[in-house]
Amino acid sequence: MKYLDLYHYSTLIYAAMFILAMGITVFAIPSIIFVAKKKKLLDKPDHRKKHLNVTPNLGGIALFSAFVFVNCIFHVDSYFEGWCYILAGAFLLFVTGLKDDLVSIDPYKKFIAQIIAAVIVVYLAGIRLTNLEGFLGIHQLPYLISFAISVIGITFVTNAFNLIDGVDGLAGGLSLLLFAFLGFMFAWSNHIGFAMICFTIAGAVIGFLKFNIAPAKIFMGDTGSLIIGFLASVLSIAFVTRVGIKSNTGFLSQLSPESGNISIALAAIIVPVYDTFRVFTTRILRGYSPFRPDRTHVHHVLLDIGLTSTQVTATLFSVTAIFIALAIGLCYLQVGATIAIFSIIAIASILMYTAIKIRNKKLAEKERKSIQENERRTLQTPDEYISNVLNNAPNTVYEDKVFS
């Protein structure tokens, strides 16, 4: 038998691929952690990172291995002829990310690799944005413009997921929601090949999250985040251009390649995309390189407010789910793409502005208290300072020692 009859057993096969990918990742990661620690292949903490201990950052090896193995075993190429080109692009980014995790490479070299991977998929697999669904009055796109927008879009989203991977579980959590949602939509519209890819990577991600939820035992590193971002962008474009619900009744019957899928796809990746666009724009306006590291990403803002890593991940996961529900609701109400997209961007801007205002207020209050404390210490006499230190010192009782 050349390939499995998924048309009759699709749900069971999707579940099997999800579980197998998850199992491979769960099985592989402990060994990767062991080898990484033994060979000292670890990510070291610095002023921009939340973790305090050196941590392995090669989780992407398990993600990529599970993704490739499961999709090859289940003959994805029989249901989507462009699978080999997606695999080629993902492999290029896997090698690039692995080298960066091991020895570090220039950001611009990573950028070039992302562009090449995008060109492979857009030109050879034919996955490109062909229609803007009336956004700004634009519908069908000429080939060259479609090609350019698709390459830029894939490269940008790949970078966005790479940059959002700054808190335990965040990139994995957001990508899990995205791939699970897209997998459901592809399965619903009988795009079996794309559904298989989505459920496989979703299974791999959820297996990885077992070891990545705070306190993380391993990070996905650039090896994982570049692949996750690449697949997120490619599958989002495929969703925009190919998903169409044939049913004439029901809530999901409103979804089709002409009905607002572009706003739903944007909503599903709004957190990394909006955050990266905001950060890049701010850096450029200040005269810096867009790749200059700092602490201005949304997860840094939420951490400065006082949220824990787990709370940051849960908050942004929930925000993404709400945006997806909002976009589907606007689509169901037959709101045009222009209004829908600008509404999503406006709400994201308001939420970001509010978070930054709260963060700035918290930091200002912290700075004010620090200044007051320094002034108080400056005005103290030596006797007062010693007395204050002794009064604030913890009481220590040595119960295990007896002096005779």
Side-chain angles (χ1 to χ4, degrees), residues 6 56 65 77 81 94 114 131-132 163 185 192 208-209 221 223 240 297 299 311 330 366 369 383-384:
L6 293 192
S65 300
D77 56 314
E81 295 179 355
F94 170 77
Q114 293 164 23
N131 193 319
L132 294 187
L163 295 174
M185 297 308 302
I192 293 177
F208 166 76
L209 284 174
T223 312
V240 172
H297 286 286
H299 48 274
Q311 290 170 337
L330 292 174
K366 185 178 180 180
K369 289 182 178 180
D383 289 341
E384 289 174 335

Side-chain angles (χ1 to χ4, degrees), residues 128-135 138-141 146 240-241 257-258 262:
R128 57 188 175 85
L129 200 59
T130 57
N131 193 319
L132 294 187
E133 301 178 357
F135 177 65
I138 303 171
H139 289 272
Q140 202 68 27
L141 294 171
S146 169
V240 172
T241 58
E258 290 287 339
I262 191 169

Side-chain angles (χ1 to χ4, degrees), residues 276-288 294 296:
T276 300
F277 181 79
R278 178 187 62 84
V279 170
F280 275 15
T281 302
T282 302
R283 290 172 183 170
I284 292 171
L285 291 176
R286 291 177 178 175
Y288 300 122
D294 55 30
T296 58

Side-chain angles (χ1 to χ4, degrees), residues 150-211:
S150 301
V151 170
I152 293 171
I154 291 173
T155 304
F156 184 82
V157 174
T158 301
N159 255 296
F161 274 88
N162 182 229
L163 295 174
I164 204 69
D165 184 30
V167 171
D168 296 345
L170 181 54
L174 295 179
S175 63
L176 174 62
L177 177 60
L178 171 67
F179 293 131
F181 171 71
L182 292 181
F184 171 78
M185 297 308 302
F186 282 127
W188 186 274
S189 56
N190 289 325
H191 287 283
I192 293 177
F194 288 113
M196 293 169 76
I197 294 172
C198 285
F199 286 121
T200 299
I201 192 62
V205 168
I206 202 169
F208 166 76
L209 284 174
K210 180 180 186 297
F211 304 91

Side-chain angles (χ1 to χ4, degrees), residues 93 96 100 103-115 155 158-159 162-163 222 226 280 283 289-293:
L93 294 181
T96 303
D100 189 53
V103 297
S104 185
I105 61 176
D106 187 273
Y108 292 98
K109 291 182 179 179
K110 286 198 296 183
F111 188 67
I112 291 173
Q114 293 164 23
I115 293 176
T155 304
T158 301
N159 255 296
N162 182 229
L163 295 174
D222 280 14
L226 289 176
F280 275 15
R283 290 172 183 170
S289 164
F291 300 106
R292 178 180 182 267

Side-chain angles (χ1 to χ4, degrees), residues 201-252:
I201 192 62
V205 168
I206 202 169
F208 166 76
L209 284 174
K210 180 180 186 297
F211 304 91
N212 187 239
I213 296 296
K217 297 181 179 68
I218 191 172
F219 303 140
M220 67 170 63
D222 280 14
T223 312
S225 60
L226 289 176
I227 294 170
I228 291 294
F230 175 71
L231 293 175
S233 58
V234 170
L235 293 169
S236 294
I237 290 178
F239 168 75
V240 172
T241 58
R242 304 190 184 206
V243 167
I245 306 302
K246 297 179 180 180
S247 173
N248 294 320
T249 60
F251 183 77
L252 292 175

Side-chain angles (χ1 to χ4, degrees), residues 19-34:
I19 294 171
L20 180 58
M22 179 176 64
I24 291 172
T25 308
V26 170
F27 177 79
I29 285 182
S31 298
I32 294 173
I33 294 174
F34 174 78

